[in-house]
PDB file of all heavy atoms in Angstrom:
ATOM      1  N   GLU C 313      14.395  10.163  -4.099  1.00  0.00           N
ATOM      2  CA  GLU C 313      15.820   9.955  -3.841  1.00  0.00           C
ATOM      3  C   GLU C 313      16.165   8.468  -3.987  1.00  0.00           C
ATOM      4  O   GLU C 313      17.193   8.111  -4.571  1.00  0.00           O
ATOM      5  CB  GLU C 313      16.175  10.444  -2.431  1.00  0.00           C
ATOM      6  CG  GLU C 313      17.661  10.428  -2.128  1.00  0.00           C
ATOM      7  CD  GLU C 313      18.454  11.354  -3.034  1.00  0.00           C
ATOM      8  OE1 GLU C 313      17.881  12.367  -3.480  1.00  0.00           O
ATOM      9  OE2 GLU C 313      19.630  11.052  -3.290  1.00  0.00           O
ATOM     10  N   GLY C 314      15.300   7.599  -3.464  1.00  0.00           N
ATOM     11  CA  GLY C 314      15.535   6.171  -3.628  1.00  0.00           C
ATOM     12  C   GLY C 314      15.467   5.739  -5.081  1.00  0.00           C
ATOM     13  O   GLY C 314      16.236   4.879  -5.530  1.00  0.00           O
ATOM     14  N   ALA C 315      14.561   6.354  -5.842  1.00  0.00           N
ATOM     15  CA  ALA C 315      14.449   6.027  -7.265  1.00  0.00           C
ATOM     16  C   ALA C 315      15.699   6.448  -8.019  1.00  0.00           C
ATOM     17  O   ALA C 315      16.162   5.740  -8.923  1.00  0.00           O
ATOM     18  CB  ALA C 315      13.218   6.707  -7.862  1.00  0.00           C
ATOM     19  N   ARG C 316      16.272   7.607  -7.665  1.00  0.00           N
ATOM     20  CA  ARG C 316      17.513   8.040  -8.324  1.00  0.00           C
ATOM     21  C   ARG C 316      18.617   7.010  -8.104  1.00  0.00           C
ATOM     22  O   ARG C 316      19.396   6.706  -9.013  1.00  0.00           O
ATOM     23  CB  ARG C 316      17.954   9.403  -7.795  1.00  0.00           C
ATOM     24  CG  ARG C 316      17.133  10.562  -8.305  1.00  0.00           C
ATOM     25  CD  ARG C 316      17.763  11.903  -7.877  1.00  0.00           C
ATOM     26  NE  ARG C 316      16.913  13.013  -8.267  1.00  0.00           N
ATOM     27  CZ  ARG C 316      15.967  13.538  -7.506  1.00  0.00           C
ATOM     28  NH1 ARG C 316      15.740  13.036  -6.299  1.00  0.00           N
ATOM     29  NH2 ARG C 316      15.228  14.544  -7.943  1.00  0.00           N
ATOM     30  N   ALA C 317      18.695   6.476  -6.886  1.00  0.00           N
ATOM     31  CA  ALA C 317      19.728   5.477  -6.597  1.00  0.00           C
ATOM     32  C   ALA C 317      19.522   4.228  -7.442  1.00  0.00           C
ATOM     33  O   ALA C 317      20.475   3.658  -7.982  1.00  0.00           O
ATOM     34  CB  ALA C 317      19.711   5.136  -5.106  1.00  0.00           C
ATOM     35  N   VAL C 318      18.263   3.792  -7.583  1.00  0.00           N
ATOM     36  CA  VAL C 318      17.971   2.611  -8.394  1.00  0.00           C
ATOM     37  C   VAL C 318      18.305   2.862  -9.854  1.00  0.00           C
ATOM     38  O   VAL C 318      18.949   2.043 -10.523  1.00  0.00           O
ATOM     39  CB  VAL C 318      16.494   2.201  -8.247  1.00  0.00           C
ATOM     40  CG1 VAL C 318      16.124   1.119  -9.250  1.00  0.00           C
ATOM     41  CG2 VAL C 318      16.215   1.711  -6.829  1.00  0.00           C
ATOM     42  N   LEU C 319      17.892   4.009 -10.367  1.00  0.00           N
ATOM     43  CA  LEU C 319      18.092   4.317 -11.784  1.00  0.00           C
ATOM     44  C   LEU C 319      19.557   4.568 -12.121  1.00  0.00           C
ATOM     45  O   LEU C 319      19.992   4.317 -13.243  1.00  0.00           O
ATOM     46  CB  LEU C 319      17.247   5.531 -12.179  1.00  0.00           C
ATOM     47  CG  LEU C 319      15.735   5.295 -12.164  1.00  0.00           C
ATOM     48  CD1 LEU C 319      14.994   6.623 -12.236  1.00  0.00           C
ATOM     49  CD2 LEU C 319      15.313   4.389 -13.302  1.00  0.00           C
ATOM     50  N   ALA C 320      20.336   5.056 -11.175  1.00  0.00           N
ATOM     51  CA  ALA C 320      21.762   5.243 -11.413  1.00  0.00           C
ATOM     52  C   ALA C 320      22.478   3.903 -11.507  1.00  0.00           C
ATOM     53  O   ALA C 320      23.466   3.754 -12.214  1.00  0.00           O
ATOM     54  CB  ALA C 320      22.366   6.097 -10.303  1.00  0.00           C
ATOM     55  N   ARG C 321      21.944   2.911 -10.785  1.00  0.00           N
ATOM     56  CA  ARG C 321      22.587   1.594 -10.758  1.00  0.00           C
ATOM     57  C   ARG C 321      22.049   0.673 -11.829  1.00  0.00           C
ATOM     58  O   ARG C 321      22.759  -0.184 -12.353  1.00  0.00           O
ATOM     59  CB  ARG C 321      22.361   0.978  -9.374  1.00  0.00           C
ATOM     60  CG  ARG C 321      23.085  -0.331  -9.129  1.00  0.00           C
ATOM     61  CD  ARG C 321      22.913  -0.785  -7.697  1.00  0.00           C
ATOM     62  NE  ARG C 321      21.552  -1.128  -7.373  1.00  0.00           N
ATOM     63  CZ  ARG C 321      20.746  -0.422  -6.589  1.00  0.00           C
ATOM     64  NH1 ARG C 321      21.173   0.700  -6.057  1.00  0.00           N
ATOM     65  NH2 ARG C 321      19.512  -0.797  -6.338  1.00  0.00           N
ATOM     66  N   ARG C 322      20.767   0.818 -12.175  1.00  0.00           N
ATOM     67  CA  ARG C 322      20.113  -0.091 -13.111  1.00  0.00           C
ATOM     68  C   ARG C 322      19.436   0.718 -14.206  1.00  0.00           C
ATOM     69  O   ARG C 322      18.298   1.149 -14.062  1.00  0.00           O
ATOM     70  CB  ARG C 322      19.060  -0.943 -12.380  1.00  0.00           C
ATOM     71  CG  ARG C 322      19.645  -1.951 -11.416  1.00  0.00           C
ATOM     72  CD  ARG C 322      20.314  -3.092 -12.165  1.00  0.00           C
ATOM     73  NE  ARG C 322      19.394  -3.753 -13.063  1.00  0.00           N
ATOM     74  CZ  ARG C 322      18.586  -4.758 -12.696  1.00  0.00           C
ATOM     75  NH1 ARG C 322      18.607  -5.203 -11.470  1.00  0.00           N
ATOM     76  NH2 ARG C 322      17.794  -5.327 -13.586  1.00  0.00           N
ATOM     77  N   ALA C 323      20.155   0.923 -15.298  1.00  0.00           N
ATOM     78  CA  ALA C 323      19.605   1.698 -16.407  1.00  0.00           C
ATOM     79  C   ALA C 323      18.972   0.807 -17.468  1.00  0.00           C
ATOM     80  O   ALA C 323      18.732   1.243 -18.582  1.00  0.00           O
ATOM     81  CB  ALA C 323      20.684   2.566 -17.029  1.00  0.00           C
ATOM     82  N   ASP C 324      18.694  -0.459 -17.124  1.00  0.00           N
ATOM     83  CA  ASP C 324      18.097  -1.393 -18.087  1.00  0.00           C
ATOM     84  C   ASP C 324      16.602  -1.572 -17.843  1.00  0.00           C
ATOM     85  O   ASP C 324      16.019  -2.580 -18.222  1.00  0.00           O
ATOM     86  CB  ASP C 324      18.798  -2.752 -17.994  1.00  0.00           C
ATOM     87  CG  ASP C 324      18.685  -3.384 -16.607  1.00  0.00           C
ATOM     88  OD1 ASP C 324      18.572  -2.638 -15.616  1.00  0.00           O
ATOM     89  OD2 ASP C 324      18.709  -4.624 -16.518  1.00  0.00           O
ATOM     90  N   ILE C 325      15.956  -0.614 -17.215  1.00  0.00           N
ATOM     91  CA  ILE C 325      14.549  -0.730 -16.833  1.00  0.00           C
ATOM     92  C   ILE C 325      13.655  -0.427 -18.027  1.00  0.00           C
ATOM     93  O   ILE C 325      13.884   0.521 -18.769  1.00  0.00           O
ATOM     94  CB  ILE C 325      14.239   0.207 -15.649  1.00  0.00           C
ATOM     95  CG1 ILE C 325      15.082  -0.218 -14.437  1.00  0.00           C
ATOM     96  CG2 ILE C 325      12.762   0.190 -15.295  1.00  0.00           C
ATOM     97  CD1 ILE C 325      15.055   0.773 -13.301  1.00  0.00           C
ATOM     98  N   THR C 326      12.630  -1.238 -18.206  1.00  0.00           N
ATOM     99  CA  THR C 326      11.740  -1.109 -19.362  1.00  0.00           C
ATOM    100  C   THR C 326      10.703  -0.008 -19.163  1.00  0.00           C
ATOM    101  O   THR C 326      10.511   0.841 -20.022  1.00  0.00           O
ATOM    102  CB  THR C 326      11.029  -2.451 -19.619  1.00  0.00           C
ATOM    103  OG1 THR C 326      12.013  -3.452 -19.851  1.00  0.00           O
ATOM    104  CG2 THR C 326      10.104  -2.356 -20.816  1.00  0.00           C
ATOM    105  N   VAL C 327      10.009  -0.040 -18.027  1.00  0.00           N
ATOM    106  CA  VAL C 327       8.942   0.929 -17.751  1.00  0.00           C
ATOM    107  C   VAL C 327       9.102   1.448 -16.329  1.00  0.00           C
ATOM    108  O   VAL C 327       9.310   0.663 -15.398  1.00  0.00           O
ATOM    109  CB  VAL C 327       7.539   0.294 -17.898  1.00  0.00           C
ATOM    110  CG1 VAL C 327       6.455   1.349 -17.648  1.00  0.00           C
ATOM    111  CG2 VAL C 327       7.361  -0.344 -19.256  1.00  0.00           C
ATOM    112  N   ALA C 328       9.001   2.750 -16.154  1.00  0.00           N
ATOM    113  CA  ALA C 328       8.986   3.359 -14.826  1.00  0.00           C
ATOM    114  C   ALA C 328       7.608   3.952 -14.578  1.00  0.00           C
ATOM    115  O   ALA C 328       7.099   4.707 -15.409  1.00  0.00           O
ATOM    116  CB  ALA C 328      10.052   4.446 -14.720  1.00  0.00           C
ATOM    117  N   VAL C 329       6.993   3.595 -13.455  1.00  0.00           N
ATOM    118  CA  VAL C 329       5.697   4.146 -13.055  1.00  0.00           C
ATOM    119  C   VAL C 329       5.954   5.090 -11.883  1.00  0.00           C
ATOM    120  O   VAL C 329       6.387   4.656 -10.813  1.00  0.00           O
ATOM    121  CB  VAL C 329       4.714   3.026 -12.657  1.00  0.00           C
ATOM    122  CG1 VAL C 329       3.365   3.631 -12.257  1.00  0.00           C
ATOM    123  CG2 VAL C 329       4.538   2.033 -13.801  1.00  0.00           C
ATOM    124  N   LEU C 330       5.708   6.382 -12.088  1.00  0.00           N
ATOM    125  CA  LEU C 330       6.060   7.398 -11.111  1.00  0.00           C
ATOM    126  C   LEU C 330       4.829   8.004 -10.448  1.00  0.00           C
ATOM    127  O   LEU C 330       3.915   8.466 -11.137  1.00  0.00           O
ATOM    128  CB  LEU C 330       6.849   8.538 -11.778  1.00  0.00           C
ATOM    129  CG  LEU C 330       8.157   8.212 -12.495  1.00  0.00           C
ATOM    130  CD1 LEU C 330       8.775   9.489 -13.022  1.00  0.00           C
ATOM    131  CD2 LEU C 330       9.103   7.498 -11.576  1.00  0.00           C
ATOM    132  N   ASP C 331       4.827   8.018  -9.124  1.00  0.00           N
ATOM    133  CA  ASP C 331       3.880   8.858  -8.403  1.00  0.00           C
ATOM    134  C   ASP C 331       4.394  10.286  -8.428  1.00  0.00           C
ATOM    135  O   ASP C 331       5.612  10.518  -8.430  1.00  0.00           O
ATOM    136  CB  ASP C 331       3.758   8.400  -6.948  1.00  0.00           C
ATOM    137  CG  ASP C 331       2.618   7.413  -6.755  1.00  0.00           C
ATOM    138  OD1 ASP C 331       1.677   7.451  -7.565  1.00  0.00           O
ATOM    139  OD2 ASP C 331       2.676   6.610  -5.813  1.00  0.00           O
ATOM    140  N   VAL C 332       3.496  11.236  -8.455  1.00  0.00           N
ATOM    141  CA  VAL C 332       3.912  12.639  -8.432  1.00  0.00           C
ATOM    142  C   VAL C 332       4.278  13.053  -7.017  1.00  0.00           C
ATOM    143  O   VAL C 332       5.328  13.651  -6.778  1.00  0.00           O
ATOM    144  CB  VAL C 332       2.796  13.552  -8.986  1.00  0.00           C
ATOM    145  CG1 VAL C 332       3.168  15.019  -8.794  1.00  0.00           C
ATOM    146  CG2 VAL C 332       2.575  13.252 -10.466  1.00  0.00           C
ATOM    147  N   VAL C 333       3.420  12.720  -6.052  1.00  0.00           N
ATOM    148  CA  VAL C 333       3.640  13.122  -4.659  1.00  0.00           C
ATOM    149  C   VAL C 333       4.380  12.003  -3.933  1.00  0.00           C
ATOM    150  O   VAL C 333       3.858  10.902  -3.775  1.00  0.00           O
ATOM    151  CB  VAL C 333       2.306  13.431  -3.955  1.00  0.00           C
ATOM    152  CG1 VAL C 333       2.554  13.835  -2.502  1.00  0.00           C
ATOM    153  CG2 VAL C 333       1.554  14.541  -4.703  1.00  0.00           C
ATOM    154  N   MET C 334       5.602  12.299  -3.497  1.00  0.00           N
ATOM    155  CA  MET C 334       6.361  11.347  -2.680  1.00  0.00           C
ATOM    156  C   MET C 334       6.855  12.087  -1.447  1.00  0.00           C
ATOM    157  O   MET C 334       6.042  12.516  -0.636  1.00  0.00           O
ATOM    158  CB  MET C 334       7.486  10.716  -3.516  1.00  0.00           C
ATOM    159  CG  MET C 334       6.954   9.737  -4.581  1.00  0.00           C
ATOM    160  SD  MET C 334       8.227   8.873  -5.509  1.00  0.00           S
ATOM    161  CE  MET C 334       8.565  10.100  -6.796  1.00  0.00           C
ATOM    162  N   GLU C 335       8.185  12.294  -1.309  1.00  0.00           N
ATOM    163  CA  GLU C 335       8.641  13.015  -0.117  1.00  0.00           C
ATOM    164  C   GLU C 335       8.287  14.494  -0.162  1.00  0.00           C
ATOM    165  O   GLU C 335       8.412  15.204   0.840  1.00  0.00           O
ATOM    166  CB  GLU C 335      10.142  12.826   0.109  1.00  0.00           C
ATOM    167  CG  GLU C 335      11.038  13.381  -1.002  1.00  0.00           C
ATOM    168  CD  GLU C 335      11.416  12.329  -2.015  1.00  0.00           C
ATOM    169  OE1 GLU C 335      10.501  11.651  -2.532  1.00  0.00           O
ATOM    170  OE2 GLU C 335      12.606  12.179  -2.287  1.00  0.00           O
ATOM    171  N   SER C 336       7.874  14.977  -1.340  1.00  0.00           N
ATOM    172  CA  SER C 336       7.348  16.334  -1.465  1.00  0.00           C
ATOM    173  C   SER C 336       6.232  16.317  -2.504  1.00  0.00           C
ATOM    174  O   SER C 336       6.031  15.318  -3.194  1.00  0.00           O
ATOM    175  CB  SER C 336       8.457  17.320  -1.885  1.00  0.00           C
ATOM    176  OG  SER C 336       8.865  17.063  -3.221  1.00  0.00           O
ATOM    177  N   GLU C 337       5.507  17.434  -2.625  1.00  0.00           N
ATOM    178  CA  GLU C 337       4.350  17.460  -3.512  1.00  0.00           C
ATOM    179  C   GLU C 337       4.722  17.279  -4.972  1.00  0.00           C
ATOM    180  O   GLU C 337       3.915  16.790  -5.767  1.00  0.00           O
ATOM    181  CB  GLU C 337       3.596  18.788  -3.328  1.00  0.00           C
ATOM    182  CG  GLU C 337       2.915  18.908  -1.963  1.00  0.00           C
ATOM    183  CD  GLU C 337       2.084  20.167  -1.864  1.00  0.00           C
ATOM    184  OE1 GLU C 337       2.155  20.998  -2.808  1.00  0.00           O
ATOM    185  OE2 GLU C 337       1.370  20.330  -0.854  1.00  0.00           O
ATOM    186  N   ASN C 338       5.934  17.670  -5.347  1.00  0.00           N
ATOM    187  CA  ASN C 338       6.349  17.585  -6.745  1.00  0.00           C
ATOM    188  C   ASN C 338       7.587  16.715  -6.935  1.00  0.00           C
ATOM    189  O   ASN C 338       8.314  16.858  -7.923  1.00  0.00           O
ATOM    190  CB  ASN C 338       6.623  18.990  -7.300  1.00  0.00           C
ATOM    191  CG  ASN C 338       5.352  19.822  -7.358  1.00  0.00           C
ATOM    192  OD1 ASN C 338       4.352  19.400  -7.914  1.00  0.00           O
ATOM    193  ND2 ASN C 338       5.409  21.004  -6.754  1.00  0.00           N
ATOM    194  N   ALA C 339       7.830  15.804  -6.001  1.00  0.00           N
ATOM    195  CA  ALA C 339       9.046  14.988  -6.067  1.00  0.00           C
ATOM    196  C   ALA C 339       9.092  14.160  -7.346  1.00  0.00           C
ATOM    197  O   ALA C 339      10.149  14.001  -7.962  1.00  0.00           O
ATOM    198  CB  ALA C 339       9.136  14.075  -4.847  1.00  0.00           C
ATOM    199  N   GLY C 340       7.941  13.636  -7.760  1.00  0.00           N
ATOM    200  CA  GLY C 340       7.913  12.818  -8.971  1.00  0.00           C
ATOM    201  C   GLY C 340       8.251  13.612 -10.217  1.00  0.00           C
ATOM    202  O   GLY C 340       8.933  13.122 -11.116  1.00  0.00           O
ATOM    203  N   LEU C 341       7.773  14.851 -10.279  1.00  0.00           N
ATOM    204  CA  LEU C 341       8.070  15.688 -11.446  1.00  0.00           C
ATOM    205  C   LEU C 341       9.533  16.109 -11.460  1.00  0.00           C
ATOM    206  O   LEU C 341      10.163  16.174 -12.528  1.00  0.00           O
ATOM    207  CB  LEU C 341       7.164  16.927 -11.438  1.00  0.00           C
ATOM    208  CG  LEU C 341       5.658  16.624 -11.513  1.00  0.00           C
ATOM    209  CD1 LEU C 341       4.870  17.930 -11.519  1.00  0.00           C
ATOM    210  CD2 LEU C 341       5.327  15.788 -12.731  1.00  0.00           C
ATOM    211  N   ALA C 342      10.107  16.373 -10.274  1.00  0.00           N
ATOM    212  CA  ALA C 342      11.537  16.694 -10.212  1.00  0.00           C
ATOM    213  C   ALA C 342      12.364  15.478 -10.637  1.00  0.00           C
ATOM    214  O   ALA C 342      13.377  15.615 -11.334  1.00  0.00           O
ATOM    215  CB  ALA C 342      11.909  17.131  -8.797  1.00  0.00           C
ATOM    216  N   LEU C 343      11.917  14.297 -10.231  1.00  0.00           N
ATOM    217  CA  LEU C 343      12.600  13.075 -10.654  1.00  0.00           C
ATOM    218  C   LEU C 343      12.524  12.910 -12.165  1.00  0.00           C
ATOM    219  O   LEU C 343      13.501  12.524 -12.819  1.00  0.00           O
ATOM    220  CB  LEU C 343      11.974  11.864  -9.954  1.00  0.00           C
ATOM    221  CG  LEU C 343      12.492  10.493 -10.376  1.00  0.00           C
ATOM    222  CD1 LEU C 343      13.979  10.352 -10.073  1.00  0.00           C
ATOM    223  CD2 LEU C 343      11.689   9.384  -9.678  1.00  0.00           C
ATOM    224  N   LEU C 344      11.373  13.217 -12.737  1.00  0.00           N
ATOM    225  CA  LEU C 344      11.203  13.113 -14.182  1.00  0.00           C
ATOM    226  C   LEU C 344      12.180  14.048 -14.908  1.00  0.00           C
ATOM    227  O   LEU C 344      12.788  13.663 -15.920  1.00  0.00           O
ATOM    228  CB  LEU C 344       9.763  13.455 -14.550  1.00  0.00           C
ATOM    229  CG  LEU C 344       9.365  13.304 -16.020  1.00  0.00           C
ATOM    230  CD1 LEU C 344       9.506  11.862 -16.474  1.00  0.00           C
ATOM    231  CD2 LEU C 344       7.921  13.787 -16.216  1.00  0.00           C
ATOM    232  N   ASP C 345      12.350  15.267 -14.394  1.00  0.00           N
ATOM    233  CA  ASP C 345      13.305  16.198 -14.999  1.00  0.00           C
ATOM    234  C   ASP C 345      14.721  15.643 -14.915  1.00  0.00           C
ATOM    235  O   ASP C 345      15.509  15.757 -15.863  1.00  0.00           O
ATOM    236  CB  ASP C 345      13.231  17.560 -14.306  1.00  0.00           C
ATOM    237  CG  ASP C 345      11.941  18.297 -14.618  1.00  0.00           C
ATOM    238  OD1 ASP C 345      11.331  18.008 -15.669  1.00  0.00           O
ATOM    239  OD2 ASP C 345      11.532  19.148 -13.801  1.00  0.00           O
ATOM    240  N   TRP C 346      15.075  15.036 -13.771  1.00  0.00           N
ATOM    241  CA  TRP C 346      16.406  14.435 -13.619  1.00  0.00           C
ATOM    242  C   TRP C 346      16.598  13.277 -14.593  1.00  0.00           C
ATOM    243  O   TRP C 346      17.651  13.156 -15.226  1.00  0.00           O
ATOM    244  CB  TRP C 346      16.574  13.954 -12.183  1.00  0.00           C
ATOM    245  CG  TRP C 346      17.860  13.217 -11.922  1.00  0.00           C
ATOM    246  CD1 TRP C 346      19.076  13.769 -11.624  1.00  0.00           C
ATOM    247  CD2 TRP C 346      18.053  11.803 -11.952  1.00  0.00           C
ATOM    248  NE1 TRP C 346      20.018  12.776 -11.465  1.00  0.00           N
ATOM    249  CE2 TRP C 346      19.420  11.559 -11.655  1.00  0.00           C
ATOM    250  CE3 TRP C 346      17.209  10.717 -12.193  1.00  0.00           C
ATOM    251  CZ2 TRP C 346      19.956  10.273 -11.596  1.00  0.00           C
ATOM    252  CZ3 TRP C 346      17.741   9.435 -12.137  1.00  0.00           C
ATOM    253  CH2 TRP C 346      19.095   9.219 -11.837  1.00  0.00           C
ATOM    254  N   MET C 347      15.581  12.441 -14.747  1.00  0.00           N
ATOM    255  CA  MET C 347      15.663  11.299 -15.663  1.00  0.00           C
ATOM    256  C   MET C 347      15.895  11.762 -17.098  1.00  0.00           C
ATOM    257  O   MET C 347      16.585  11.107 -17.878  1.00  0.00           O
ATOM    258  CB  MET C 347      14.387  10.457 -15.572  1.00  0.00           C
ATOM    259  CG  MET C 347      14.258   9.699 -14.260  1.00  0.00           C
ATOM    260  SD  MET C 347      12.560   9.157 -13.917  1.00  0.00           S
ATOM    261  CE  MET C 347      12.195   8.166 -15.352  1.00  0.00           C
ATOM    262  N   HIS C 348      15.327  12.905 -17.432  1.00  0.00           N
ATOM    263  CA  HIS C 348      15.445  13.426 -18.795  1.00  0.00           C
ATOM    264  C   HIS C 348      16.891  13.789 -19.133  1.00  0.00           C
ATOM    265  O   HIS C 348      17.264  13.851 -20.303  1.00  0.00           O
ATOM    266  CB  HIS C 348      14.550  14.658 -18.959  1.00  0.00           C
ATOM    267  CG  HIS C 348      14.460  15.160 -20.364  1.00  0.00           C
ATOM    268  ND1 HIS C 348      13.901  14.417 -21.391  1.00  0.00           N
ATOM    269  CD2 HIS C 348      14.873  16.329 -20.928  1.00  0.00           C
ATOM    270  CE1 HIS C 348      13.969  15.101 -22.514  1.00  0.00           C
ATOM    271  NE2 HIS C 348      14.554  16.258 -22.267  1.00  0.00           N
ATOM    272  N   THR C 349      17.731  14.012 -18.117  1.00  0.00           N
ATOM    273  CA  THR C 349      19.133  14.365 -18.349  1.00  0.00           C
ATOM    274  C   THR C 349      20.026  13.143 -18.463  1.00  0.00           C
ATOM    275  O   THR C 349      21.239  13.290 -18.690  1.00  0.00           O
ATOM    276  CB  THR C 349      19.668  15.250 -17.207  1.00  0.00           C
ATOM    277  OG1 THR C 349      19.771  14.477 -16.000  1.00  0.00           O
ATOM    278  CG2 THR C 349      18.760  16.443 -16.981  1.00  0.00           C
ATOM    279  N   ARG C 350      19.477  11.932 -18.307  1.00  0.00           N
ATOM    280  CA  ARG C 350      20.288  10.716 -18.306  1.00  0.00           C
ATOM    281  C   ARG C 350      20.149  10.000 -19.645  1.00  0.00           C
ATOM    282  O   ARG C 350      19.128   9.352 -19.909  1.00  0.00           O
ATOM    283  CB  ARG C 350      19.837   9.770 -17.190  1.00  0.00           C
ATOM    284  CG  ARG C 350      19.629  10.436 -15.849  1.00  0.00           C
ATOM    285  CD  ARG C 350      20.912  10.975 -15.284  1.00  0.00           C
ATOM    286  NE  ARG C 350      21.848   9.912 -14.943  1.00  0.00           N
ATOM    287  CZ  ARG C 350      23.020  10.127 -14.368  1.00  0.00           C
ATOM    288  NH1 ARG C 350      23.402  11.346 -14.093  1.00  0.00           N
ATOM    289  NH2 ARG C 350      23.810   9.123 -14.091  1.00  0.00           N
ATOM    290  N   PRO C 351      21.140  10.080 -20.526  1.00  0.00           N
ATOM    291  CA  PRO C 351      21.022   9.425 -21.835  1.00  0.00           C
ATOM    292  C   PRO C 351      20.764   7.932 -21.744  1.00  0.00           C
ATOM    293  O   PRO C 351      20.085   7.365 -22.596  1.00  0.00           O
ATOM    294  CB  PRO C 351      22.388   9.714 -22.484  1.00  0.00           C
ATOM    295  CG  PRO C 351      22.871  10.961 -21.819  1.00  0.00           C
ATOM    296  CD  PRO C 351      22.384  10.861 -20.406  1.00  0.00           C
ATOM    297  N   ALA C 352      21.276   7.271 -20.707  1.00  0.00           N
ATOM    298  CA  ALA C 352      21.095   5.820 -20.587  1.00  0.00           C
ATOM    299  C   ALA C 352      19.642   5.437 -20.332  1.00  0.00           C
ATOM    300  O   ALA C 352      19.269   4.276 -20.488  1.00  0.00           O
ATOM    301  CB  ALA C 352      21.975   5.268 -19.466  1.00  0.00           C
ATOM    302  N   LEU C 353      18.807   6.405 -19.935  1.00  0.00           N
ATOM    303  CA  LEU C 353      17.392   6.125 -19.654  1.00  0.00           C
ATOM    304  C   LEU C 353      16.486   6.520 -20.811  1.00  0.00           C
ATOM    305  O   LEU C 353      15.264   6.433 -20.693  1.00  0.00           O
ATOM    306  CB  LEU C 353      16.946   6.873 -18.391  1.00  0.00           C
ATOM    307  CG  LEU C 353      17.754   6.606 -17.116  1.00  0.00           C
ATOM    308  CD1 LEU C 353      17.221   7.464 -15.976  1.00  0.00           C
ATOM    309  CD2 LEU C 353      17.720   5.137 -16.740  1.00  0.00           C
ATOM    310  N   ALA C 354      17.071   6.930 -21.924  1.00  0.00           N
ATOM    311  CA  ALA C 354      16.272   7.507 -23.009  1.00  0.00           C
ATOM    312  C   ALA C 354      15.251   6.525 -23.574  1.00  0.00           C
ATOM    313  O   ALA C 354      14.175   6.928 -24.020  1.00  0.00           O
ATOM    314  CB  ALA C 354      17.184   8.009 -24.119  1.00  0.00           C
ATOM    315  N   ALA C 355      15.568   5.226 -23.577  1.00  0.00           N
ATOM    316  CA  ALA C 355      14.656   4.244 -24.171  1.00  0.00           C
ATOM    317  C   ALA C 355      13.556   3.808 -23.213  1.00  0.00           C
ATOM    318  O   ALA C 355      12.575   3.190 -23.628  1.00  0.00           O
ATOM    319  CB  ALA C 355      15.445   3.017 -24.636  1.00  0.00           C
ATOM    320  N   MET C 356      13.679   4.116 -21.939  1.00  0.00           N
ATOM    321  CA  MET C 356      12.724   3.661 -20.935  1.00  0.00           C
ATOM    322  C   MET C 356      11.367   4.341 -21.125  1.00  0.00           C
ATOM    323  O   MET C 356      11.288   5.529 -21.423  1.00  0.00           O
ATOM    324  CB  MET C 356      13.270   3.969 -19.543  1.00  0.00           C
ATOM    325  CG  MET C 356      12.420   3.454 -18.395  1.00  0.00           C
ATOM    326  SD  MET C 356      13.233   3.750 -16.801  1.00  0.00           S
ATOM    327  CE  MET C 356      13.232   5.551 -16.757  1.00  0.00           C
ATOM    328  N   ARG C 357      10.288   3.578 -20.969  1.00  0.00           N
ATOM    329  CA  ARG C 357       8.944   4.138 -21.018  1.00  0.00           C
ATOM    330  C   ARG C 357       8.591   4.692 -19.648  1.00  0.00           C
ATOM    331  O   ARG C 357       8.928   4.109 -18.611  1.00  0.00           O
ATOM    332  CB  ARG C 357       7.925   3.050 -21.405  1.00  0.00           C
ATOM    333  CG  ARG C 357       8.294   2.244 -22.635  1.00  0.00           C
ATOM    334  CD  ARG C 357       8.189   3.036 -23.914  1.00  0.00           C
ATOM    335  NE  ARG C 357       6.804   3.379 -24.226  1.00  0.00           N
ATOM    336  CZ  ARG C 357       6.445   4.008 -25.337  1.00  0.00           C
ATOM    337  NH1 ARG C 357       7.370   4.382 -26.230  1.00  0.00           N
ATOM    338  NH2 ARG C 357       5.176   4.276 -25.587  1.00  0.00           N
TER     339      ARG C 357
END
């Protein structure tokens, strides 16, 4: 949830390093699916 707030505000990030397990066992993968819907993040590694 905190990462979503950062990414919504700052879409100029070069590389994102995601843990899979955060507030839930699959929180990182759910975040990855959300990121995939954001065109402004398409260039981010």
Side-chain angles (χ1 to χ4, degrees):
E313 187 62 29
R316 285 188 185 91
V318 171
L319 292 166
R321 186 174 66 251
R322 291 288 303 273
D324 60 332
I325 298 169
T326 301
V327 182
V329 181
L330 301 182
D331 267 335
V332 173
V333 180
M334 289 184 275
E335 63 265 52
S336 69
E337 291 185 353
N338 294 307
L341 299 181
L343 175 62
L344 184 62
D345 290 336
W346 175 84
M347 290 161 58
H348 188 64
T349 69
R350 314 295 293 184
L353 304 178
M356 184 175 65
R357 310 289 293 184

